[in-house]
Amino acid sequence: MPLTRETPLTDLPGVGPARGKKLEKLGLRTLGDTLDHLPQRYEDRRERHTMRDAPEDRPCCVCAMVAETPRVSYIRRGLSLVKVKAVDETGTACITFFNQDYIREVLRRGESYVFYGAVERQGNLFSMTNPAFEREGAQRATGLIMPVYPLTAGISNNLMAGLTRRAAEECLDGLPEILPARVRKDHQLCQTQFARKNIHYPADFEQLAIARRRLVFEELFVLTCGLAQLKDRRSAGEGRVLAGAPEDFFPLLPFPPTGAQRRAMADMAADLASGRAMNRLVQGDVGSGKTAVAAFGAWAAAKNGVQCALMAPTELLAEQHARTMEALLSPAGVRVGLLTGSVKGKEKKALLAALAAGEIDLVVGTHALFSQGVEYRDLGLVIADEQHRFGVAQRGALAEKGGSVPPHVLVMSATPIPRTLALIIYGDLDVSVMDELPPGRTPVKTLLVGEDKRERMYGFVRRQVKEGRQVYIVCPSVEENGGWEDGPGMDLKAVTAYAAQLRERVFPELRVGFVHGRLKAKEKEETMSAFSAGELDVLVSTTVIEVGVDVPNASLMIIENAERFGLSQLHQLRGRVGRGKHESFCVLVTASRSDTARERLRALCATNDGFQIAEEDLRLRGPGDFFGKRQHGLPQLKVADFAADMELLKEARQAAEELVAADRSLSKPAHRLLKKKVRELFRENAELFN
Ligand code: ADP
Ligand code: MG
């Protein structure tokens, strides 16, 4: 039977049911699937030398005849060696394989093989360790640019390469072309067959680059087509007309708004009155005053007789927002409710009934807000705070609660995102940037200290408290040696134990409380409100305080094991201090001696500019953290790299927008396959496209 792209992998020689299962773990079921399983890197195995001429600084191929029967020796449990001598016209090499006993049966005396690996030399004797090899003339694993694939236990790279080779050699005919001919021509992209063959088995690195460019473009094009469709759909969406002038709202604020706040509110007011559904992102560094902007939206909604839902990422933050909103808006007659996972029983029932009856104007909560059974009388505005915790999908789900007319959507983010990434993550939103902090702030002074300064640091805590200030101490984990993904081993400061120690031994004279994510919501709330009321001097916590919490009297933050956090996360944490009129400090404590870790932390000491820090984070850690699926809800990309492929991203995005402008639903026959790919890529966000 000829092989096709639909041939199950288990039909191929060497793939039984057991391996079939393992391949499935990699998402590979058919031969065609392997075409999309792309190499992680390549080994240039084209260079061939004699032993004597072999380069010292890089591996190469050597052709040699096996001169004896391989010998196995067992060194100890779990360690065996196969040793064999091989000769070419320039010398003899001793070749050693670790824990690969089967090689004894494979290498035959008197036969010639090509070995690929580093050739080491001691006098006249050569040696190689764990080389790849194959019979001379095979040209399967040597004499070429060898793809190196992501693997799983029980699947070797040779097996994987064998599969992709069969796919690339036998199943490329008739592979349908996704990219419209016009786009391919305009952007000088190679054909799909060429790209798929050469991404696995490139003749040389130029061809590889040509292939890769096409695949990156394709991936970004499909993604941006999806985003363009979303944006198109949203901006075409009819919206309620909500009238309200920011000037009429200002008197409710306890402070004059900053210029940035005024601009963001004006953008919003224009959106709300436009007759189309708003989809706006307000991006502003921590402390820039986004809450007031949200309050304006809630006020405008209530004024027009529709409801507003304000969604926060944690219960703590939801509770705080509810209090702030109540204080700001109840004088204007806005009725505020709170709905989180810990609102239960009678209380919950009453709240749901009030929501459905329209007796609540603004409901603040966590994602409980869009769970089933929550009915709104007339939901006109959805606000999501700290958007990096909310995916596109969740935004969509909430928007659906709006009934026949989609609600206006406002998203607020304090995570400064590098421009490139913003283009993708927020591709479907309009953006207001809040680039101004409320007046009278002094930037937070950030210091990096080692263990040797611990006593001095505790002294500093006492002095701050003596002056009437409050202090946060943040630790990476909840329990001793647990709850931290990198596992035990480091002396991690664990919240509960550390708080007890501080209380008993270090600060017996101070009032020390603690919060972490595993406490009951009520306990958390009690501790948090005690801290914000000034009844606690020191609050020990995990990152639950990362987002949004506002205690202006707190002037010092200590972050233990600072090397464990990402830069952007540290910046967020630091934003909890410096919110009042007092000079504020952030102390990063690390015992790490690693230069990169310290360099990273120093970058944080050097600037308070969130965007600069985000760029640095991107440079040091790659886009993975910004693009962790959890964070944004957008599909995971396979080929493209946002830091490196920025130019191509711009091209792809422009092409996508042009295409979607001409064919909004991608319904032209020439776009059928593209449409299918877009749907596949956004599979988990399918509801957005319906
Ligand atoms: P964000 O959510 O953007 O991090 P918040 O809305 O929590 O910031 O505001 C941070 C602090 O600044 C709060 O204590 C808030 O009351 C205060 N604030 C906001 N806007 C102003 C302003 N225009 N003038 C003075 N203080 C302000
Ligand atoms: Mg906030």
Side-chain angles (χ1 to χ4, degrees), residues 268-287:
M268 242 175 110
D271 292 345
L272 293 175
S274 72
R276 283 180 291 118
M278 170 173 77
N279 281 287
R280 179 165 296 278
L281 167 75
V282 171
Q283 203 184 17
D285 216 338
V286 273

Side-chain angles (χ1 to χ4, degrees), residues 284-292 317 320-321 385-386 412-414 547-550 576 579:
D285 216 338
V286 273
S288 56
K290 293 182 292 296
T291 315
L317 194 54
Q320 181 176 306
H321 272 327
D385 193 12
E386 309 298 348
M412 303 195 291
S413 172
V547 275
V549 176
D550 188 25
R576 299 307 111 215
R579 306 194 132 223

